[in-house]
Amino acid sequence: MNQKVLKTLEYDKILIRLADHAYGDETKARCLSLVPMTNREEIRLAQLQTMDAISRIIKKGRFDCSGVMDLSDSLDRVSIGGTLGAEELLSFCRLLSAAKHVKYYGTVEREDLPSDSLTDFFDGIEPLTSLCNEINRCILSPEEIADEASSTLHSIRRSIRGMNDRIHNQLSQMLGNSTTRGYLQDAVITMRDGRYCLPVKAEYKSQVQGMVHDQSSTGSTLFIEPMSVLNLNNELRELFLKEQEEIQVILATLSNQVAEYIPEIKEDYRILVELDFIFAKAAYGLEYNGIAPEFNTEHRIRIRKGRHPLLDSKKVVPIDIHLGEEFDQLVITGPNTGGKTVSLKTVGLLTLMGQAGMPIPAGERSELAIFHEIYADIGDEQSIEQNLSTFSSHITNIIDILAHADADSLVLFDELCAGTDPSEGAALAISILTHFHERGIRTMATTHYSEIKVFALSTPGIENACCEFSVETLSPTYRLLIGIPGKSNAFAISQKLGLSAHIIEEARQHISDSEQNFEDLIADLEHSKRTIEKEQLEIERYKAEITELKKQLEAKQEKLDHRREQILREANEEANAILREAKDTADEAIRNFNKYGHTVPTAKEMEAQRAKLREKMSENDKRLAKQKKETPANQNVPKNLRIGDSVKVLSMNLTGTVHTLPNAKGDLFVQMGILRSQVNIRDLVLLETPSPKKNYGKTGSGKLKMSKSISVSPEINLIGKTVDEAIAVLDKYLDDAYIAHLPSVRIVHGKGTGALRNAVHAHLRKQSYISTFHLGEYGEGDAGVTIAEFK
C-alpha cells in the first residue's frame, strides 16, 4: 500500500490513537508501523483475534503488562556467561510477573467453556515462577541486595555491624574524654573515604595521633582517623570488599539461572508483545464500538451505518454506501460542506482499517473488499516550489493513478478536474471516469459538474449519489442518498439568506429550460427518495408488529390447545373413575341379591344397605356440585412485585417469598420454606409485611427469627460498592439470612475486574455456616453472580 494514500486518508492519525492503547514501547512501535494486509486468511485471523480480545475485555477487563521491555541485549550477555546487574535482573522479574498475571488472566473459569483464537497464546506463556521468586528474594531494589540472599552475605554483614559497633564504642570513649573533647571542633563521629574520623581543630593536630584524611575548606578543621581505630577501620574495609565480592557471586548465580531459561523468556516476551498489540486494537475498537466486517475478493463494498473514526462519535451521522454490485462507479454531488469528502475518506479509511485487522466503526453485516492498492486524489495540493496550480497538481496525481491502478485497486477522486474551465473540466472528468469504468476499477468521485450527473444517469454501471441538504435550516444533514444526483440549491439558499427576489428571478432567466427541468427533476427524485425511505421504514415497523402479533397468537393457540387436551384428559379420567365406582356398586348389589336369595334378610340389614347407597350418592352429588361451581377469579393480583416480597400461593395455600421477577408470561419462582416452585402471578396474593411493634419487654429468639424471615431477601446486590463497603454489608446480610433459615442466597457482584468477586469468595470461605458456593450458571447471571448455600 502506497504511503501517500495512508497520509491522505489520515490513516496515520488512526495509528497514533492505536499506539496510545499499547503498554510496551515495542508494541507502540508496531502499532505505528501497522500496514494493511492483502491476504484474506491473514486478515480474517487478525479480525478474529481482535474480536475475541474485545469479548475478553468486556468479561474481565484488560490486563496490564506495563513495564515489560525488550531484554534481548541482556539475554545475549548471559548466553556467553556474562553477569547481569541488579536492575537488569529486576527487569526480568517484572517480565515474568507480567507473564504470570497474563497467564492467569487467560485461564477459563470452567473447563466446559469453548476456547478462542487467543487460547494458544495464553497456553504458551511460561511464567517461571520459581526464577521470579528467587530474584525477588535476593534483590530488594536496584541498590540493595537482601541479607538472606546467601548465608555468606548474611555472615559478612553481621560482622560489618559488629565492627561498626566496636569502632563507634572506641570513638565514643574518646569523645567522652574531656581532654580529647577540647581538641575537637565538634563532638561528632564522621566518615571520610569510608573510614571513621574525628573533626580536630588544626592547632591541636599534634595532640591527636592518627592519619589525616581531609580538611575543611577554611583549613581550621582536620578530619583525623585516630590510631586506636586504624586497624578496626582496615578490617571494616576488608569486610566491605568481601561483601561486594559476595554480591557479585549472588548476581552471577542469578544470571546463570536466567541463562537456563533463555528460550522460555524470549517466547514469553514475544507472546506478551503480541497480546499487547491485539488487545490495543481491541481497546481502541471498543472506543468507537467497532465490528469485524466480512471480506470478499469480488471487489464488493457494502458499509452499513459507517462512521468516520476521527469525528466525534456523538455528532457524526452514519452513512450507508454500497459499490461493486449493480455499479462499479459512484459519483457524489451536492453543496460544499455537505459531507462528500467525508464520505470518500470514510470508505477509504474503513477499508484500510479493516485490512489492517482493526474493527471498523460500522453496523453489523458490513462487507469490505480486499484491495491491493488504494489511490486517492483529495485536497488542494498546489505547490509554489514546483510552480503547480491546484488543477496541475490534481492532474499530476491523476496521471500517476492512471499509470498504476488496476482491477484490484480502489480509486477516490475529490472534485475531479476542478479548478479549470467548467466545460473542459467536465469533459475531461467524463473521459477519465469512462477509462476507469472500462477497466472495471472501483471508483468514487465527487463533483459539482452537471454534465457528470447526466453522464452517470445515462451510463450503465455508474450511479449518482448526493449528500442531503436541508433548505429549511440551510445546513447539510450529512445523509448519503444513492441513486439521486445532488442539487446545488444556490437559489433556495440565497433566497433564505435574504437576497432580493427580483435578482433571483432574473438569475433564473439566464438558465436554459433544459437545465431548469433537470434541476427540477433532481428535486423531484430527492423528494421521492425520501418518501420511499419513510414508507419503507413504516413497512418494516408494520412487519415487525405483525410478526410479534403472530407469535403471540401462536403462543395463545398453543396454550389453548394444551388446556383443551388437559381438560379432556381430566374428564376422561373422571369418567373412568365414575364408571369404576358404578361397577363396584353394581357388583356389590348383585352379591347381596344372591346372598339374600338364599336367606331372608332382616329389615335392619336392608335399611342399612339403602342408607349406605344414599350416602354415596349424596357424596357424589356434592363433589359434582363443587366442581361445577365456578372458582372466583383472583381480584388481588400483585402489580409491582419485588424480590423478597411475601406472597401467598392460592392454589397451594402456602406462603413464601418472591425469588425471581415475573417473565413476559407472568411466571416466576417463589420460595416456600424448602420448596422452590414456579407459579403464575395470577395465582399470588401480596401479603402485607407487618410493621414492627415497639416492645420494651423481653424479646426471644423466636421473634427475631420470625422478623428476619419476613424481611430478608434471598438476593443482595453489591454492584457499585468498594470491597470494604461490600464485605461489611455482605457479612450482616449473611447473618440475617442464616437466622431466617434461607437455604441459599444470590450475591450479585458483577464481572468488572474480578476484585469484588474474589473478595466475596474469600469472605464466604471464612464463614462456618456456608456449605458451598459457586458462580451462577447460564441464565442465572453467569460470572457476575455467586450462589451460596447454608449448612
Side-chain angles (χ1 to χ4, degrees), residues 96 124 126 128 260-269:
L96 297 178
E126 290 293 340
L128 303 177
E260 295 176 3
Y261 298 102
I262 290 177
E264 290 84 354
I265 294 174
K266 286 184 176 180
E267 182 65 9
D268 283 352
Y269 179 71

Side-chain angles (χ1 to χ4, degrees), residues 86-98:
E87 175 64 32
E88 291 176 295
L89 288 169
L90 287 177
S91 297
F92 278 101
C93 193
R94 286 191 292 269
L95 171 63
L96 297 178
S97 295

Side-chain angles (χ1 to χ4, degrees), residues 630-698:
E630 183 178 359
T631 303
N634 182 12
Q635 302 297 326
N636 298 315
V637 177
K639 299 296 183 183
N640 297 315
L641 277 180
R642 296 178 299 177
I643 294 176
D645 285 349
S646 297
V647 294
K648 181 177 181 180
V649 183
L650 298 177
S651 60
M652 304 175 71
N653 197 27
L654 293 175
T655 60
T657 57
V658 176
H659 201 264
T660 63
L661 294 177
N663 59 17
K665 297 181 180 179
D667 296 332
L668 67 154
F669 282 95
V670 176
Q671 188 78 37
M672 297 165 284
I674 62 173
L675 176 64
R676 183 174 183 265
S677 178
Q678 184 179 17
V679 298
N680 193 275
I681 193 172
R682 291 188 296 274
D683 196 24
L684 298 180
V685 174
L686 182 63
L687 298 179
E688 293 292 335
T689 303
S691 58
K693 297 181 178 179
K694 293 184 179 180
N695 187 358
Y696 299 98
K698 296 185 291 182

Side-chain angles (χ1 to χ4, degrees), residues 154-164 236 239:
H154 186 272
S155 176
I156 292 173
R157 288 185 172 174
R158 186 174 58 201
S159 299
I160 290 174
R161 288 191 292 271
M163 188 61 64
N164 278 324
L236 181 62
L239 289 174

